[in-house]
Amino acid sequence: MSDAYTLLRGGRVCDPTGIADGGGLRDLYLKDGRIASPPPADARIGEVIELEGRIVMAGAIDIHSHIGGGKVNLARLLLPEEHREHASGPDELRRSGSGLFTPSSFVTGYRYAEMGYTAAFEPAMLPSNARHTHLELADIPIIDKGCYAVLGNDDFLLERLAAGATQSEVNDYVAWILHATQAVGVKVVNPGGISAFKFNQRRLELDEAHPHYGITPRRILTTLATALSDLGVPHPLHVHCNNLGIPGNEAVTRDTIAALDGLPAHLTHLQFHSYGTEGDRRFSSAAAEIAEAVNRSPNISVDVGQIIFGQTITASADIMSQFRNSGLASPRKWVCTDIECDGGCGLVPFRYRDKAFVNALQWAIGLELFLLIEDPWRVYLTTDHPNGGPFTSYPHLIRLLMDRSFRNEQLARINPDVAAHSRLGSIEREYTLDEIAIMTRAGPARVLGLRDRGHLHPGAVADVVVYDDLPDREAMFAAPAWVFKNGRPVARNGRLTATGWGDTIVVRPDFDPAIERRLKPWFEDHQTVRLGNFRIADGEILDHGRGGLSIVPTLTASDPCF
Ligand SMILES: [Zn+2]
Ligand SMILES: [Zn+2]
């Protein structure tokens, strides 16, 4: 703590939350890790940094990126060659690290910070893997992080639903899991499908009864979405729809939006769920239909899961789809595992090829979704790292969205049938800087309930990024002139200059602890740990001295949801 202000003078502040849209010149004062109101004339100004008209945004937030936990570690083990190929040399600031699409924990923090990202959210934390996930996130420097607990294929919930559990019992269970696993949201992955796979089923439709429990994905989906809404958890249910990657899955995606019937929900990696069956190859883009359904549904936000050409690895709790894709593994090795009574985990290495029709069309479908969904507050930039490609490709992706001629040049290079089967070439929209600031900062902050992040109002966490206004937006977003985390400079011209530790962001809705009377015998009969050992104490996150806990306030009836 110091009593002096840091002054960022003369930047063009791009913050569409109302403080300075349109990029007007504005001075920013930082103090004690927060954005400060302009101080009185006699205040002590410590450092003054002249921004000379450069563009200033809040730190960027990645709402969905697989950065820690069991599957990330298995992915690293599966591909040791990727760590030889993408080694980063140690220097005096860094612990060494390596990897591109399965980066080490250190490299994850460094690369995000160098690009101006100051928070990232691990979307697929199995509750039984929560302790491992937090230990790994504790090893990611600089950025803030949080996790979504995966529910909806856990035997406790399925068994209780089959036995006729009330909504309020489910609410208590969901809240208990959020507390016990130190999560900030809940993700449902292929509702019921992962469990059905364990009963030898290969596909599960929205209204198809689970082979053992007899309940439908629709019931699981709406019960969980209702629970989060009832509990006032700001981030609504994070939904990975059924039938990921299957041609024709656009129908279940649209049915899922309809089933939610106005309940808030976030549909993740939407690109993998927007496929039709038209044409000779029975694989087509349904991006226009899906975008239209999203445009009509103000309760729905999405992230895209854009694919990027090249080698990566797909990592998912959706073992039903990962087992189906295992024949496509490149290189030819893969992992599928069952995890306790929680769900599963599948790793399939994959190379997206720009000359392959299916991959090239997937690329176009992702871009169509970005460009056809009208409201940038409800569509966020992701590659579903590493599933569609590494998060380090975000600057390239931003250029594709902001620069139509660049986009069309890239379209002309890929499998030529795609231009004929996609409307991408005819879409004129180019994202503005304000829209990029919304989709990478203000939008994700709002949908996660992060009231003091994603904007630059006084009181916000001083996560600030300064860019040179370069016509090549890829170069601009790859190497910001300055990145400040909690008011401290951490990167300059795309190179790390300092390191440190961010916060773990959690949510803690109220609930009736009587739910433990049901959970305790369940743990004793079915799980490898007892209930008391399963719960992660605050001290386990705080004791290592690597950043604090930040608790997102729950919503009350008077709060504006979105
Ligand atoms: Zn997913
Ligand atoms: Zn994902």
Side-chain angles (χ1 to χ4, degrees), residues 397-411:
L397 184 47
I398 290 174
R399 184 171 182 201
L400 288 169
L401 298 177
M402 294 191 74
D403 181 341
R404 186 187 177 205
S405 60
F406 177 67
R407 185 163 74 226
N408 284 344
E409 267 167 47
Q410 303 301 307
L411 179 61

PDB file of all heavy atoms in Angstrom, residues 397-411:
ATOM      1  N   LEU A 397      -7.806 -13.918 -33.866  1.00  0.00           N
ATOM      2  CA  LEU A 397      -9.263 -14.009 -33.951  1.00  0.00           C
ATOM      3  C   LEU A 397      -9.898 -12.606 -33.912  1.00  0.00           C
ATOM      4  O   LEU A 397     -10.850 -12.312 -34.649  1.00  0.00           O
ATOM      5  CB  LEU A 397      -9.734 -14.889 -32.790  1.00  0.00           C
ATOM      6  CG  LEU A 397     -11.189 -15.246 -32.642  1.00  0.00           C
ATOM      7  CD1 LEU A 397     -11.808 -15.711 -33.940  1.00  0.00           C
ATOM      8  CD2 LEU A 397     -11.326 -16.334 -31.578  1.00  0.00           C
ATOM      9  N   ILE A 398      -9.356 -11.737 -33.091  1.00  0.00           N
ATOM     10  CA  ILE A 398      -9.872 -10.355 -33.042  1.00  0.00           C
ATOM     11  C   ILE A 398      -9.695  -9.692 -34.404  1.00  0.00           C
ATOM     12  O   ILE A 398     -10.589  -9.010 -34.902  1.00  0.00           O
ATOM     13  CB  ILE A 398      -9.165  -9.562 -31.913  1.00  0.00           C
ATOM     14  CG1 ILE A 398      -9.625 -10.092 -30.544  1.00  0.00           C
ATOM     15  CG2 ILE A 398      -9.452  -8.067 -32.042  1.00  0.00           C
ATOM     16  CD1 ILE A 398      -8.888  -9.501 -29.347  1.00  0.00           C
ATOM     17  N   ARG A 399      -8.547  -9.916 -35.055  1.00  0.00           N
ATOM     18  CA  ARG A 399      -8.357  -9.317 -36.387  1.00  0.00           C
ATOM     19  C   ARG A 399      -9.381  -9.869 -37.387  1.00  0.00           C
ATOM     20  O   ARG A 399      -9.908  -9.136 -38.219  1.00  0.00           O
ATOM     21  CB  ARG A 399      -6.925  -9.559 -36.885  1.00  0.00           C
ATOM     22  CG  ARG A 399      -6.702  -8.860 -38.205  1.00  0.00           C
ATOM     23  CD  ARG A 399      -5.266  -8.854 -38.672  1.00  0.00           C
ATOM     24  NE  ARG A 399      -5.202  -8.107 -39.935  1.00  0.00           N
ATOM     25  CZ  ARG A 399      -4.233  -8.234 -40.814  1.00  0.00           C
ATOM     26  NH1 ARG A 399      -3.215  -9.038 -40.580  1.00  0.00           N
ATOM     27  NH2 ARG A 399      -4.269  -7.539 -41.941  1.00  0.00           N
ATOM     28  N   LEU A 400      -9.657 -11.179 -37.298  1.00  0.00           N
ATOM     29  CA  LEU A 400     -10.663 -11.756 -38.211  1.00  0.00           C
ATOM     30  C   LEU A 400     -12.021 -11.068 -38.028  1.00  0.00           C
ATOM     31  O   LEU A 400     -12.780 -10.900 -38.990  1.00  0.00           O
ATOM     32  CB  LEU A 400     -10.819 -13.260 -37.962  1.00  0.00           C
ATOM     33  CG  LEU A 400      -9.663 -14.159 -38.425  1.00  0.00           C
ATOM     34  CD1 LEU A 400      -9.830 -15.567 -37.863  1.00  0.00           C
ATOM     35  CD2 LEU A 400      -9.588 -14.208 -39.955  1.00  0.00           C
ATOM     36  N   LEU A 401     -12.334 -10.675 -36.798  1.00  0.00           N
ATOM     37  CA  LEU A 401     -13.634 -10.043 -36.530  1.00  0.00           C
ATOM     38  C   LEU A 401     -13.639  -8.570 -36.902  1.00  0.00           C
ATOM     39  O   LEU A 401     -14.682  -8.019 -37.272  1.00  0.00           O
ATOM     40  CB  LEU A 401     -14.003 -10.205 -35.046  1.00  0.00           C
ATOM     41  CG  LEU A 401     -14.166 -11.641 -34.569  1.00  0.00           C
ATOM     42  CD1 LEU A 401     -14.463 -11.682 -33.072  1.00  0.00           C
ATOM     43  CD2 LEU A 401     -15.284 -12.353 -35.343  1.00  0.00           C
ATOM     44  N   MET A 402     -12.484  -7.910 -36.825  1.00  0.00           N
ATOM     45  CA  MET A 402     -12.435  -6.454 -37.023  1.00  0.00           C
ATOM     46  C   MET A 402     -12.084  -6.041 -38.446  1.00  0.00           C
ATOM     47  O   MET A 402     -12.221  -4.861 -38.801  1.00  0.00           O
ATOM     48  CB  MET A 402     -11.400  -5.829 -36.069  1.00  0.00           C
ATOM     49  CG  MET A 402     -11.762  -5.947 -34.602  1.00  0.00           C
ATOM     50  SD  MET A 402     -10.709  -4.925 -33.538  1.00  0.00           S
ATOM     51  CE  MET A 402     -11.347  -3.274 -33.878  1.00  0.00           C
ATOM     52  N   ASP A 403     -11.615  -6.999 -39.259  1.00  0.00           N
ATOM     53  CA  ASP A 403     -11.016  -6.631 -40.546  1.00  0.00           C
ATOM     54  C   ASP A 403     -11.581  -7.560 -41.636  1.00  0.00           C
ATOM     55  O   ASP A 403     -11.127  -8.681 -41.804  1.00  0.00           O
ATOM     56  CB  ASP A 403      -9.492  -6.793 -40.384  1.00  0.00           C
ATOM     57  CG  ASP A 403      -8.707  -6.421 -41.619  1.00  0.00           C
ATOM     58  OD1 ASP A 403      -9.301  -6.369 -42.721  1.00  0.00           O
ATOM     59  OD2 ASP A 403      -7.489  -6.212 -41.467  1.00  0.00           O
ATOM     60  N   ARG A 404     -12.581  -7.051 -42.346  1.00  0.00           N
ATOM     61  CA  ARG A 404     -13.276  -7.909 -43.311  1.00  0.00           C
ATOM     62  C   ARG A 404     -12.347  -8.369 -44.434  1.00  0.00           C
ATOM     63  O   ARG A 404     -12.431  -9.506 -44.893  1.00  0.00           O
ATOM     64  CB  ARG A 404     -14.481  -7.154 -43.893  1.00  0.00           C
ATOM     65  CG  ARG A 404     -15.294  -8.052 -44.772  1.00  0.00           C
ATOM     66  CD  ARG A 404     -16.409  -7.357 -45.516  1.00  0.00           C
ATOM     67  NE  ARG A 404     -17.072  -8.326 -46.381  1.00  0.00           N
ATOM     68  CZ  ARG A 404     -17.730  -8.016 -47.470  1.00  0.00           C
ATOM     69  NH1 ARG A 404     -17.866  -6.748 -47.826  1.00  0.00           N
ATOM     70  NH2 ARG A 404     -18.285  -8.958 -48.200  1.00  0.00           N
ATOM     71  N   SER A 405     -11.473  -7.476 -44.926  1.00  0.00           N
ATOM     72  CA  SER A 405     -10.651  -7.899 -46.058  1.00  0.00           C
ATOM     73  C   SER A 405      -9.672  -9.000 -45.613  1.00  0.00           C
ATOM     74  O   SER A 405      -9.430  -9.958 -46.355  1.00  0.00           O
ATOM     75  CB  SER A 405      -9.936  -6.718 -46.704  1.00  0.00           C
ATOM     76  OG  SER A 405      -9.106  -6.098 -45.773  1.00  0.00           O
ATOM     77  N   PHE A 406      -9.145  -8.901 -44.392  1.00  0.00           N
ATOM     78  CA  PHE A 406      -8.274  -9.961 -43.863  1.00  0.00           C
ATOM     79  C   PHE A 406      -9.051 -11.267 -43.761  1.00  0.00           C
ATOM     80  O   PHE A 406      -8.578 -12.340 -44.154  1.00  0.00           O
ATOM     81  CB  PHE A 406      -7.741  -9.536 -42.485  1.00  0.00           C
ATOM     82  CG  PHE A 406      -6.896 -10.575 -41.804  1.00  0.00           C
ATOM     83  CD1 PHE A 406      -5.661 -10.932 -42.308  1.00  0.00           C
ATOM     84  CD2 PHE A 406      -7.348 -11.201 -40.638  1.00  0.00           C
ATOM     85  CE1 PHE A 406      -4.881 -11.891 -41.660  1.00  0.00           C
ATOM     86  CE2 PHE A 406      -6.575 -12.152 -39.995  1.00  0.00           C
ATOM     87  CZ  PHE A 406      -5.335 -12.499 -40.512  1.00  0.00           C
ATOM     88  N   ARG A 407     -10.287 -11.160 -43.270  1.00  0.00           N
ATOM     89  CA  ARG A 407     -11.134 -12.353 -43.125  1.00  0.00           C
ATOM     90  C   ARG A 407     -11.362 -13.022 -44.477  1.00  0.00           C
ATOM     91  O   ARG A 407     -11.243 -14.237 -44.622  1.00  0.00           O
ATOM     92  CB  ARG A 407     -12.455 -11.917 -42.497  1.00  0.00           C
ATOM     93  CG  ARG A 407     -13.406 -13.003 -42.157  1.00  0.00           C
ATOM     94  CD  ARG A 407     -14.442 -12.475 -41.183  1.00  0.00           C
ATOM     95  NE  ARG A 407     -15.443 -11.580 -41.783  1.00  0.00           N
ATOM     96  CZ  ARG A 407     -15.826 -10.417 -41.262  1.00  0.00           C
ATOM     97  NH1 ARG A 407     -15.296  -9.976 -40.146  1.00  0.00           N
ATOM     98  NH2 ARG A 407     -16.743  -9.680 -41.857  1.00  0.00           N
ATOM     99  N   ASN A 408     -11.674 -12.212 -45.475  1.00  0.00           N
ATOM    100  CA  ASN A 408     -11.953 -12.788 -46.791  1.00  0.00           C
ATOM    101  C   ASN A 408     -10.695 -13.353 -47.447  1.00  0.00           C
ATOM    102  O   ASN A 408     -10.763 -14.338 -48.185  1.00  0.00           O
ATOM    103  CB  ASN A 408     -12.657 -11.765 -47.684  1.00  0.00           C
ATOM    104  CG  ASN A 408     -14.131 -11.628 -47.274  1.00  0.00           C
ATOM    105  OD1 ASN A 408     -14.673 -12.488 -46.561  1.00  0.00           O
ATOM    106  ND2 ASN A 408     -14.776 -10.557 -47.704  1.00  0.00           N
ATOM    107  N   GLU A 409      -9.535 -12.747 -47.158  1.00  0.00           N
ATOM    108  CA  GLU A 409      -8.264 -13.332 -47.640  1.00  0.00           C
ATOM    109  C   GLU A 409      -8.072 -14.730 -47.053  1.00  0.00           C
ATOM    110  O   GLU A 409      -7.656 -15.649 -47.746  1.00  0.00           O
ATOM    111  CB  GLU A 409      -7.083 -12.499 -47.116  1.00  0.00           C
ATOM    112  CG  GLU A 409      -6.589 -11.411 -48.020  1.00  0.00           C
ATOM    113  CD  GLU A 409      -5.646 -10.495 -47.214  1.00  0.00           C
ATOM    114  OE1 GLU A 409      -4.749 -11.016 -46.490  1.00  0.00           O
ATOM    115  OE2 GLU A 409      -5.858  -9.281 -47.285  1.00  0.00           O
ATOM    116  N   GLN A 410      -8.352 -14.865 -45.766  1.00  0.00           N
ATOM    117  CA  GLN A 410      -8.195 -16.174 -45.111  1.00  0.00           C
ATOM    118  C   GLN A 410      -9.206 -17.177 -45.674  1.00  0.00           C
ATOM    119  O   GLN A 410      -8.874 -18.331 -45.922  1.00  0.00           O
ATOM    120  CB  GLN A 410      -8.386 -16.060 -43.593  1.00  0.00           C
ATOM    121  CG  GLN A 410      -7.457 -15.083 -42.909  1.00  0.00           C
ATOM    122  CD  GLN A 410      -5.995 -15.427 -43.108  1.00  0.00           C
ATOM    123  OE1 GLN A 410      -5.560 -16.540 -42.836  1.00  0.00           O
ATOM    124  NE2 GLN A 410      -5.222 -14.471 -43.621  1.00  0.00           N
ATOM    125  N   LEU A 411     -10.424 -16.700 -45.906  1.00  0.00           N
ATOM    126  CA  LEU A 411     -11.472 -17.565 -46.460  1.00  0.00           C
ATOM    127  C   LEU A 411     -11.053 -18.097 -47.836  1.00  0.00           C
ATOM    128  O   LEU A 411     -11.316 -19.252 -48.176  1.00  0.00           O
ATOM    129  CB  LEU A 411     -12.787 -16.777 -46.562  1.00  0.00           C
ATOM    130  CG  LEU A 411     -14.003 -17.486 -47.143  1.00  0.00           C
ATOM    131  CD1 LEU A 411     -14.396 -18.703 -46.299  1.00  0.00           C
ATOM    132  CD2 LEU A 411     -15.197 -16.521 -47.243  1.00  0.00           C
TER     133      LEU A 411
END
